[in-house]
Amino acid sequence: DQNIIDLYPNPAKDEITISIEINSKVTVQIDDITGRLMETIQFDNGANTQTLNIADLSNGVYFIVAKDENNKYIQQIKFVKLK
């Protein structure tokens, strides 16, 4: 499987940049380690990049989960939030 999502830096302190390469609308959610939804981000058609402020998230492990416009799972990436 090819990676559709790129996330950096990882671990991160104040912000993460998410880059998506897919020609459809994508919904990206940030879930904490218990699966609780922390934030949802929309990506429109085509490859694009968004930088998110994560300074308010508590330290720990989070998951970036990407789904397509039909709510079909695409990819998941784990990242670590540091102080």
Side-chain angles (χ1 to χ4, degrees):
D1 288 342
Q2 77 179 64
N3 282 347
I4 293 170
I5 307 172
D6 192 23
L7 178 149
Y8 54 90
N10 189 7
K13 291 183 179 182
D14 296 322
E15 58 185 33
I16 54 171
T17 299
I18 301 171
S19 178
I20 296 201
E21 297 181 34
I22 191 170
N23 287 326
S24 68
K25 291 184 180 180
V26 175
T27 299
V28 172
Q29 60 189 54
I30 300 176
D31 295 342
D32 70 8
I33 193 78
T34 67
R36 188 169 51 126
L37 177 63
M38 306 304 290
E39 190 167 348
T40 302
I41 308 102
Q42 299 292 333
F43 285 80
D44 291 326
N45 292 348
N48 59 49
T49 299
Q50 293 190 41
T51 299
L52 306 176
N53 184 329
I54 59 164
D56 291 340
L57 292 179
S58 300
N59 295 348
V61 176
Y62 293 87
F63 295 95
I64 298 288
V65 181
K67 295 180 180 178
D68 69 13
E69 54 197 324
N70 299 315
N71 207 35
K72 182 173 176 266
Y73 172 84
I74 298 172
Q75 188 179 345
Q76 175 176 291
I77 297 180
K78 179 171 75 173
F79 77 93
V80 177
K81 163 71 166 77
L82 302 175
K83 284 186 181 178

